[in-house]
Amino acid sequence: MPRAVTLIRSSTLSDVAEYAYAATAPAEARLVFLAGACPLDADGAVTPLGDHAGQAATAVENLRTALREAGAGLGDLISTRVLVVSDRQEDLAAAWGVYRDAMGEHDVPSTLMGVTVLGYTGQLVEIEAVAAVLD
């Protein structure tokens, strides 16, 4: 199945970043705007508490579910934002590592941000995303 998303890499910007610098989708693509994927289990509890990497894994699985229900997958993402409650780069890196492993070769343009608080008590990670699909 053809993908709508084309990742754009720069030959003049640093190659240290673990993502493409831009992405495009054709005019006929259907855009899917996803609410922030939170690390909530089926009962609405934040899980696992106190674990940045674990919460990133739960958020990625919830993101996969939301994408699947919209007729899309991780390979259809055109942009993401990973929010991490922390002022320590180690915590951001732990969450980012889980996210990047899940994304594999599809290094979609992304922003990683440290924030002070998220919406649920004990929540440390949230992943916001936009996808583009060809129907």
Side-chain angles (χ1 to χ4, degrees):
M1 174 177 224
R3 298 274 184 203
V5 177
T6 300
L7 300 178
I8 300 167
R9 291 169 178 77
S10 172
S11 61
T12 56
L13 295 172
S14 170
D15 63 357
V16 171
E18 296 178 315
Y19 48 80
Y21 279 97
T24 64
E28 66 271 16
R30 175 173 54 93
L31 295 180
V32 181
F33 296 87
L34 295 110
C38 298
L40 300 175
D41 66 15
D43 296 322
V46 172
T47 184
L49 287 174
D51 181 353
H52 288 90
Q55 287 194 20
T58 302
V60 166
E61 287 312 307
N62 290 342
L63 178 62
R64 284 182 201 268
T65 299
L67 284 163
R68 185 173 48 251
E69 291 176 358
L74 292 178
D76 297 307
L77 292 175
I78 194 167
S79 177
T80 65
R81 186 173 310 158
V82 180
L83 309 171
V84 181
V85 175
S86 184
D87 62 357
R88 295 171 5 114
Q89 285 183 317
E90 298 84 18
D91 296 334
L92 275 70
W96 180 256
V98 170
Y99 162 82
R100 278 298 304 129
D101 287 348
M103 294 303 296
E105 302 257 335
H106 189 64
D107 56 344
V108 61
S110 300
T111 298
L112 174 64
M113 294 178 19
V115 299
T116 57
V117 66
L118 290 167
Y120 296 97
T121 301
Q123 181 182 0
L124 300 174
V125 176
E126 187 163 331
I127 304 171
E128 196 179 314
V130 177
V133 294
L134 296 171
D135 289 321

